Amino acid sequence: MTSRINPLLILFAVLVYIFLMGPLIIVLGASVSDTTYLTFPPQGFSLRWFENIFAISAFKRTIITSLELAFLATGLALLVGIPAAYALNRYRIKLPSWLSTVFVLPILVPEIVLGFSLLKSVAVGMQTPIFLTLLVGHMLLVLPYCVRVVSASLASFDFSIEEAAVSLGSPPLKTFFTIVLPNVRSGVIAAFILAFITSINDVSTSLFLTGPGVSTLPIQILAHVEQFFDPTIASVSVLLMLLTVAVMAIVERTLGLTFLAK
Amino acid sequence: MTQALTVQNLTAHYGATKVLEDLSLSVGKGELVSLLGASGCGKTTTLRLIAGFLEPTSGSIRLGDKDLTRLPAYKRDIGLVFQNYALFPHLSVLDNVGFGLKQRGVAPADREKRAKAMLERVGLAQLADRLPGALSGGQKQRVALARALVIEPPLLMFDEPLSNLDAKLRVDMRVEIRQLQRANGTTSVYVTHDQEEAFSISDRVAIMNAGRIMQFDTPETLYQRPANAFVARFVGFENLIPMKAVARDGATVTAEAAGGARLKLSQERFGEIADSFVLATRADGLAVSTDAKDEGIPATLGLRTYLGRAYQYQADSAAGQLIANGSLSAPLEPGAEAKLMPVPDQCCVLKPE
Amino acid sequence: MKASKPRKAVNPGAARPRQLEENFMLKRFAGWWLAGPATLAVLVFLILPVAATIATTFGDDGGIFAPYIAFFNSGFRRAVLWRTIEISLATTAISLVVGFLTAYVVSKSPGKLKSLLIIAAVFPLLTGVVVRSFAWLIILGKNGILNNFLVGIGAISEPLSMLYTQGSVIVAMVYLFVPLMILTLVGVLENIPDDIVQASSSLGATPAATFRQVILPLAVPGLIVGAVLVFTGSFTAYATPQLLGGERQMVMGTLMYQRAMVSFDWVGASTIAAIMVVITVTVVLAMSRVARRLNPMAT
């Protein structure tokens, strides 16, 4: 399709993309500026603000916490989410239809409300440690993504392939790992990435669940900005952008970048 | 003939709906039996019960001297060919064929040798390293067949294996399937909704309807001697004329159709005739006569179509709409009055429905 | 489903009744066994706590609706609610227009460029809310880049105070949600079959007429989906209004945090949470109904 588009529209789209990219480039520039205040274009070039991240123990701590949380929450969500997605597709007729609605409901609950409710019911109500409460919150935050993305992948899986394997003598559990899972691989990878990124970047759910000594990186950034306005935050932001780049590179390697277009 | 597969009094439900009722079926060693019927008749359910993907409410399934009824599907040792081939998309053609051998603990070298030999037999040796996605429909079907045959199963089952292929390929493939099945002497159950396919490929055919077998016989018998009105209609008997015997004179029965037309039928030629029966014929089994003296069912001829070997008439009679074939030498115009006469060897006398 | 250990089938007769029982239980409830843990997690850690939060807002000493009456009696909180609605509506409207026009250009771009444009929209989407909001803090601040630039070129003599205004919150929110809108709408536009568009031109419609009379109506369901995502997202946002609006532009999210963690007024915070849930649910349900009714491709 090469039907011509109004040049004004094209100009508009170019401006929109400048609008989208500009602020991120500015953050990148500000992070390497050799000044004690945030400025763009950068004056001089220095990586000292990156070094400064690791000099501040709160950042070091929360980076580790955030990574732990993201891996654990995503892993747990996949652990219970993949079987659920499988069941929802494989036993569609046998299971009641409200069951799949359970995994849509979380969309109707604002994340900030989830965080606050978990604070009241779990953190205070059950006196759970902070990290555990955060883990529950993040797991719940990403579980619906996991179920829905893997489910979408399974929806186009032909279960007679599974039956073929069983008829050839492969036991059910073995069949799941050797036949079903390899064929929904892209869905599982996509779910993992989506969940991981959602967890790492989350503010609204974590907001109420962090506490003395245990916080996540985005919450720590918010707290830091209230007090200091130096390029450290820009450097941390760049680190997070690098993470995004890494994630997109993984997607490119494993699924091809066209996958992102979907 | 020794029985390889014996299905006894099988009943199955989907939830509260009964989908199979008291079905019994036995298949001899080396025999190919088709289950034939419209969708929803229970033929696929029967296959899935035998394969172990469904559990029967009651009844039993035996293969040789092994009771399969409650055995998990993966222990049943049945070769299956699926409608959509169900090849493993992530495995090469060779690995697809070798999959069943692997489950049986066959050593890799031997596995590869046997899978290759089987691919050779279906003419796909050169595609061994391809992924299934790169194959045509016919090739996929051959791989599926090879995959099911290589485990040398005591029973091979086909679920509408040809319905995704085009007409020409369908005919070629069914010949190929039959040849392979014959050569291996594999006992087979073949599910299809295509009558021509079932009749051409099978030793015996079970015609199914509403979860029951209506008739289980050789294709020849089914075609010529349907046992009931359902099967008669299914195998193409267009005319089913309800009649009553009004007089008996030795072997000859005088029967009356609706509207009062009377026919003299010889029990020697039509078989035993009850007091109330259905006379079933194909269009070829009703001769068209304009001779007033002939004894037949009076009818007004309607639309005439040309069949090549005959003219076919849609005819209106007091006994209902009938279809009859008339000779090519004397075409008749719509509106003509004629007598329709049953041809003894081409008619069946059936119980009323 | 269970991987029954390859029990030696030497004596199937003896093993049968037991195995039958096992298989029966496992198969009949296989779906439940597998879906159970995830379902339970959502029920116990999401539905129940949220329900409990909402429940605490009723049956107060002052009557069943007392917290709500208190909320709506407070001029300040009413103002926060209206401000949040205003900001969300503005963000949604701007994102819709900007997103749709951009998505149209993207969907018409040749292959390579198109994937590049899509990646360029995915990148900010995957970059966190905090980072993206912080970027605007640098730009809009009193000594920010925009002020420095404007002073530098002599357009203004004094730096403007752009931060902590409704405008700054809206700009950052639009920035937050435009990529989402573009990606949603590119998907929708790509699903419009080319032959429909060709049919329209063959009948004499100009590109503009085709756009307005064919493409736009077909994109309506996607526009509604996008609008719902943006509206609910901005209505319940926290980080962006906190950074760019601060105390001066308090919205529902920041007010809720303030009630809960600064004033320790948990009933008040729960009331705000309940109002958020009610509005989110209402908008989602109402709009999905509208979308279904307006979907021209529905049969």
Side-chain angles (χ1 to χ4, degrees), chain B residues 3 12 69 77 80 109 131 160 177 194 219 306 335 350:
Chain B
Q3 299 305 331
T69 318
D77 207 17
L80 264 174
L131 286 179
E160 304 260 10
I177 287 176
D194 184 325
Y306 176 62
L350 307 171

Side-chain angles (χ1 to χ4, degrees), chain A residues 20, chain C residues 120-122 124-125 132 174-184:
Chain A
L20 286 184
Chain C
V122 170
L125 193 66
R132 287 189 284 160
V174 167
Y175 180 68
L176 217 54
F177 288 111
V178 159
L180 184 66
M181 199 64 117
I182 293 177
L183 292 173
T184 308

Side-chain angles (χ1 to χ4, degrees), chain A residues 1 5 17 19-21 24 26 91 96 105 110 116-118 120 172-173 201 203 207 225-226 233 244 248 257, chain C residues 1 3 30 32 45 53 56 108 117 119-120 126 128 130 134 136-137 145 175 194 236 238 242 256 266 270:
Chain A
M1 276 292 296
I5 323 167
Y17 271 95
F19 170 71
L20 286 184
M21 286 299 137
L24 296 179
I26 288 171
Y91 302 100
L105 276 181
F116 178 58
S117 302
L118 285 176
K120 293 208 314 174
L173 194 62
N201 288 326
V203 172
L207 191 61
V225 170
E226 310 255 292
I233 296 295
T244 309
M248 288 176 80
L257 267 185
Chain C
M1 204 182 295
W32 284 108
F45 292 116
T53 298
T56 58
K108 293 284 174 195
L117 290 175
I119 289 162
L126 292 184
V130 175
F134 168 72
W136 285 96
L137 210 56
I145 286 140
Y175 180 68
D194 275 351
T236 61
Y238 173 82
Q242 169 66 20
M256 181 178 157
W266 281 21
S270 301

Side-chain angles (χ1 to χ4, degrees), chain C residues 32-52:
Chain C
W32 284 108
W33 286 118
L34 294 168
T39 311
L40 219 60
V42 173
L43 288 179
V44 173
F45 292 116
L46 197 139
I47 314 270
L48 279 184
V50 171

Side-chain angles (χ1 to χ4, degrees), chain B residues 255-269:
Chain B
E256 191 178 282
R262 292 195 169 195
L263 299 172
K264 281 205 176 64
L265 306 172
S266 156
Q267 293 197 81
E268 279 157 14
R269 301 191 67 184

